[in-house]
Amino acid sequence: MAESQAPLAGVTVVALEQAVSAPMCTRVLADFGARVIKVENPKGGDFARHYDDVVNGLAAHFVWANRGKESVTLDLKTPAGLDLLHRLLDRADVLVSNLAPGSTARLGIGPDDLAARHPDVIAVEIDGYGAGGPLSHKRAYDLLAQAESGACAVTGHPGAPAKPGPPVADISTGLYSALSILALLYSRSGGRAVSVSLFDTMTDLMGYPLTYTQHSGIDQQPLGMSSPAVAPYGAYATADGQTVVLGTTNDQEWQRLSREILQRHDLADDPRFATNAGRVAYRDILDKAIGAWCAEHDLEYIQKTADAAGIGNARYNTPSEVLVHPQLSARDRWRQVDTPAGPIPALLPPPVIAGYQAPMGAVPGLGQHTDAVLAELGLADDDITALRAQGAIGPAYA
């Protein structure tokens, strides 16, 4: 599929974004072919640029979430900078922001302002807790939203709660935001305001634990690498010092696991384990039996045996092992992405669309595209120089 036939070709997105949630939303849109103009503060830009310097001097968070975008530096506290933003919005289809609570309203680009001045622009605001509640004024970051929503209480071990490793609040909120934009673009109705909060996203992701507790009165305890919903399902040490993850999701799988793999007909026939509810109640007994069997066999044998019996299984991997995972290499999932510090490897986005491959555009340097974008607005070199002297835009990109 030619580049002009990208699903979102011709869609222009202006982003006032920081950290992960909004950048992930706009990166998804860029992967589908949208033009994303990332407006950054001249004084440092997106603060995720400075989280670390492990990627040849660049930050890992930033290069992950910001490929395929153009960076324009505008000081929105200056009248000239704000005017340039409005000129960008005159040509845009979408505005995505995740600034501090109240920031867009103070800048005069809140949903009502946009509806009046830029009625065809879809306005998406990502915030922490949504409007109209006692926490609405608070800043919220991924960990805070995960803690407030109860996600940390169902992760880790009893008495030792944990944050899920990936920033699931940020990523999921970004994906919900991108999905909302796609729905509104599809409807072709023009405009519309969307707000998505990290807290609302996380409480939605907490659907199973919340539903269970609502109807049982029981706060389920975290089980490490297991699940309170089904059993047996967990991680077990193998004879060759590795870890295998085995899981069953229904009674038929349990029968195959107990009879064909463990060769424990006594467990298969035990009425205590006939249903999932019983297996959950007696998971310690089952985990002990499975753990003992796994400890007698190496990982390869266990996985081949489980595959033959139709039992789901996986190898516990560290990030360094995933980087060389044969599934990724065999399916050609790695690409090169340009950055200001040179090309780096990056994974293709998850959707595999027949006839189309994501452009995997470059990660922008701070203000790299300022002059080119302003020139598109009709500004001459002298105009850009004057704006730079006023401090309305950042320094010329080196």
Side-chain angles (χ1 to χ4, degrees):
M1 183 179 289
E3 184 177 349
S4 62
Q5 294 177 287
L8 294 183
V11 173
T12 298
V13 180
V14 173
L16 304 176
E17 56 183 23
Q18 305 275 7
V20 175
S21 59
M24 181 55 62
C25 168
T26 57
R27 197 207 81 180
V28 168
L29 301 177
D31 286 339
F32 286 132
R35 182 185 187 186
V36 177
I37 299 174
K38 183 182 179 80
V39 175
E40 300 188 71
N41 188 317
K43 299 176 181 178
D46 183 340
F47 52 71
R49 286 182 178 275
H50 313 291
Y51 280 166
D52 55 57
D53 59 2
V54 301
V55 187
N56 303 324
L58 306 176
H61 270 92
F62 189 84
V63 299
W64 161 58
N66 287 281
R67 66 167 179 256
K69 305 178 186 180
E70 301 169 49
S71 173
V72 172
T73 50
L74 299 180
D75 185 346
L76 300 181
K77 294 182 180 179
T78 67
L82 192 56
D83 177 68
L84 290 171
L85 175 64
H86 281 291
R87 293 177 67 175
L88 289 175
L89 291 173
D90 286 337
R91 298 169 167 230
D93 301 285
V94 182
L95 171 65
V96 176
S97 65
N98 68 331
L99 305 180
S103 294
T104 56
R106 288 192 294 272
L107 289 169
I109 54 171
D112 292 340
D113 304 304
L114 286 177
R117 186 164 178 177
H118 306 284
D120 293 329
V121 173
I122 297 168
V124 179
E125 286 204 22
I126 297 173
D127 62 17
Y129 296 101
L135 303 184
S136 298
H137 66 287
K138 295 174 68 69
R139 288 177 178 267
Y141 306 126
D142 181 85
L143 173 59
L144 307 182
Q146 292 203 43
E148 196 76 42
S149 67
C152 295
V154 297
T155 308
H157 297 275
K163 170 194 171 297
V168 293
D170 280 337
I171 295 171
S172 300
T173 301
L175 294 177
Y176 270 115
S177 300
L179 180 61
S180 300
I181 291 166
L182 295 177
L184 292 178
L185 288 172
Y186 179 79
S187 74
R188 301 179 185 274
S189 59
R192 306 250 195 119
V194 179
S195 63
V196 186
S197 79
L198 272 68
F199 183 68
D200 288 347
T201 296
M202 284 308 303
T203 52
D204 188 43
L205 296 185
M206 283 287 291
Y208 164 70
L210 294 179
T211 301
Y212 186 96
T213 299
Q214 187 176 51
H215 294 278
S216 70
I218 298 171
D219 284 323
Q220 292 176 313
Q221 295 301 297
L223 295 171
M225 284 188 62
S226 187
S227 167
V230 293
Y233 193 11
Y236 308 94
T238 67
D240 54 346
Q242 301 191 69
T243 300
V244 67
V245 180
L246 294 171
T248 61
T249 58
N250 56 58
D251 298 341
Q252 292 74 26
E253 288 182 359
W254 158 245
Q255 288 294 317
R256 295 200 301 274
L257 172 62
S258 54
R259 295 183 190 278
E260 299 177 29
I261 297 180
L262 302 181
Q263 300 291 308
R264 290 290 303 272
H265 298 281
D266 59 317
L267 296 179
D269 294 333
D270 193 319
R272 292 178 298 174
F273 312 135
T275 65
N276 182 64
R279 294 191 293 275
V280 167
Y282 294 101
R283 73 169 64 245
D284 290 348
I285 296 174
L286 302 183
D287 282 341
K288 183 177 180 180
I290 297 170
W293 182 83
C294 289
E296 297 175 351
H297 304 285
D298 62 27
L299 178 70
E300 183 179 7
Y301 175 83
I302 293 169
Q303 291 199 278
K304 285 184 176 180
T305 304
D307 285 342
I311 298 300
N313 63 91
R315 179 182 190 267
Y316 165 82
N317 288 314
T318 62
S320 59
E321 290 167 328
V322 176
L323 289 173
V324 294
H325 202 295
Q327 187 73 3
L328 295 175
S329 58
R331 298 176 61 241
D332 193 25
R333 295 292 298 164
W334 290 101
R335 293 292 182 274
Q336 291 290 309
V337 169
D338 289 330
T339 78
I344 61 170
L347 287 168
L348 286 165
V352 178
I353 301 174
Y356 174 75
Q357 189 168 115
M360 304 296 284
V363 176
L366 178 60
Q368 180 177 350
H369 304 90
T370 302
D371 290 28
V373 171
L374 295 187
E376 290 181 31
L377 298 181
L379 278 72
D381 289 346
D382 289 346
D383 300 323
I384 295 173
T385 299
L387 288 166
R388 191 157 277 133
Q390 298 171 27
I393 63 176
Y397 184 75

